[in-house]
């Protein structure tokens, strides 16, 4: 194989792997495979080069020319805003939105996630799902549901999480019958501990106390049969279920 052909193939492989690892839009992969030279140049220019520049900028910004002089460390959000100002890439905006959501700034996080969903990233299911989570957290249920339905139409991305969030959205809006059906589907198809716990919460809110208690008991039984790493991964939900079970038992006795 000529050297130029080897370089072209290496560039394709690098760009496709980077696209997959960084969860870029699948349209990039098609573009790179169908038009190798132009696709690779475009991808490297739009996605890879801005990341390299930001990394250099971050390293330069953290270097302290005078280590004896105290300098206040800016907040994480401020740092991420600076990164967006320096390079307004989808990756930088997504990172900013992630941190805003972590800090409970859901309204702004929604706006930033929505700004990411354009061009090649219009159908990025990872960003759509995080948009749905942020919208649900601040009770923007229509936005959350629209994002979830789009995720389901595009792929089976995080199927158990998507189905669970759908059920919670419908429950929050008072569509209890539909929510109950989706909860049941989620338990039958996935059966993870968080889904059981959320379903128990839903049943409690519907005053289905006996069924809620039965679901909480199932969590305890299931957790006891799981390997140690699974119990550790679900420790938060197991603890919540144990506490809720004790509270509910006392309520039912009283």
């Amino acid at each position: 194989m000529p050297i130029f052909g080897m370089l072209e193939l290496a560039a394709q492989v690098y760009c496709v792997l980077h696209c997959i690892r960084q969860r870029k839009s699948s349209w990039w992969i098609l573009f790179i495979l169908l038009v190798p030279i132009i696709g690779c140049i475009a991808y490297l220019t739009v996605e890879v080069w801005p990341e390299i520049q930001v990394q250099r900028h971050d390293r330069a910004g953290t270097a302290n020319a005078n280590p004896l002089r105290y300098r206040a460390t800016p907040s994480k959000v401020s740092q991420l805003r600076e990164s967006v100002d320096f390079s307004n890439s989808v990756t930088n905006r997504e990172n900013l939105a992630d941190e805003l959501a972590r800090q409970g700034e859901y309204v702004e996080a929604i706006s930033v996630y929505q700004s990411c969903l354009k061009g090649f990233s219009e159908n990025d299911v990872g960003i759509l799902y995080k948009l749905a989570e942020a919208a649900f957290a601040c009770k923007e249920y229509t936005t959350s549901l629209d994002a979830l339905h789009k995720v389901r139409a595009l792929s089976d991305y995080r199927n158990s999480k998507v189905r669970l969030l759908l059920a919670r959205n419908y429950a929050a809006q008072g569509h209890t019958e539909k929510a109950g059906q989706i909860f049941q589907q989620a338990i039958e198809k996935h059966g993870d501990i968080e889904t059981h716990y959320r379903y128990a919460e839903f049943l409690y809110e519907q005053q289905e106390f006996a069924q809620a208690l039965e679901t909480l008991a199932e969590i305890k039984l299931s957790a006891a049969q799981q390997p140690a790493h699974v119990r550790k991964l679900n420790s938060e939900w197991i603890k919540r279920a144990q506490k809720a079970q004790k509270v509910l038992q006392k309520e039912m006795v009283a």
Side-chain angles (χ1 to χ4, degrees):
M1 181 182 290
I3 294 177
F4 182 79
M6 293 176 65
L7 290 173
E8 180 183 326
L9 179 61
Q12 274 186 295
V13 171
Y14 173 81
C15 290
V16 169
L17 289 176
H18 185 279
C19 183
I20 294 170
R21 287 169 182 164
Q22 299 298 320
R23 294 189 299 99
K24 306 296 183 183
S25 171
S26 57
W27 288 106
W28 271 122
I29 297 177
L30 290 175
F31 189 34
I32 291 164
L33 294 178
L34 292 174
V35 194
I37 297 175
I38 297 174
C40 288
I41 291 172
Y43 186 81
L44 291 168
T45 303
V46 174
E47 298 291 351
V48 178
W49 179 246
E51 290 181 8
I52 294 172
Q53 291 295 94
V54 168
Q55 289 170 2
R56 288 177 178 174
H57 171 71
D58 289 345
R59 285 196 295 269
T62 55
N64 192 342
N66 183 0
L68 297 178
R69 181 183 173 188
Y70 172 75
R71 294 184 181 182
T73 304
S75 70
K76 182 69 173 176
V77 169
S78 296
Q79 289 178 334
L80 292 169
R81 289 191 200 281
E82 288 178 7
S83 294
V84 171
D85 290 340
F86 185 77
S87 175
N88 190 26
S89 66
V90 172
T91 299
N92 287 343
R93 277 178 278 146
E94 184 182 358
N95 290 338
L96 172 60
D98 289 348
E99 186 60 30
L100 288 166
R102 271 192 291 271
Q103 296 192 18
E105 300 292 339
Y106 297 115
V107 174
E108 187 178 357
I110 290 169
S111 176
V112 179
Y113 280 134
Q114 289 172 330
S115 76
C116 295
L117 295 167
K118 295 176 183 177
F120 283 109
S121 299
E122 180 181 3
N123 295 320
D124 188 306
V125 290
I127 298 174
L128 281 165
Y129 176 74
K130 287 189 281 191
L131 168 62
E133 285 190 313
F136 177 80
C138 65
K139 301 182 180 180
E140 291 193 17
Y141 302 123
T142 300
T143 300
S144 184
L145 282 170
D146 287 346
L148 290 171
H149 287 311
K150 193 168 184 180
V151 171
R152 298 189 83 186
L154 291 167
S155 74
D156 60 352
Y157 175 82
R158 302 193 73 176
N159 210 1
S160 63
K161 295 288 187 183
V162 169
R163 188 174 269 115
L164 176 58
L165 193 53
L166 270 174
R168 296 179 67 200
N169 263 289
Y170 285 122
Q173 294 182 81
H175 304 308
T176 54
E177 184 176 349
K178 193 164 189 176
Q181 291 173 351
I182 298 174
F183 267 121
Q184 287 286 354
Q185 291 171 4
I187 286 175
E188 289 172 8
K189 291 180 179 293
H190 311 293
D192 57 280
I193 292 175
E194 182 186 355
T195 299
H196 276 83
Y197 178 79
R198 296 293 189 187
Y199 184 48
E201 277 187 327
F202 169 74
L203 291 169
Y204 180 83
E205 289 167 2
Q206 305 309 309
Q207 298 187 341
E208 299 285 347
F209 301 129
Q211 195 173 350
L213 191 60
E214 182 181 337
T215 303
L216 292 169
E218 288 174 3
I219 293 174
K220 184 177 180 179
L221 179 62
S222 174
Q225 298 172 343
Q226 297 294 337
H229 72 276
V230 175
R231 291 198 300 273
K232 184 177 181 180
L233 188 64
N234 291 278
S235 59
E236 177 189 351
W237 304 112
I238 294 170
K239 289 176 183 176
R240 286 194 188 189
Q242 290 171 343
K243 185 177 179 180
Q245 186 178 13
K246 291 177 182 177
V247 171
L248 186 50
Q249 285 172 336
K250 289 180 180 179
E251 288 184 7
M252 292 181 70
V253 169

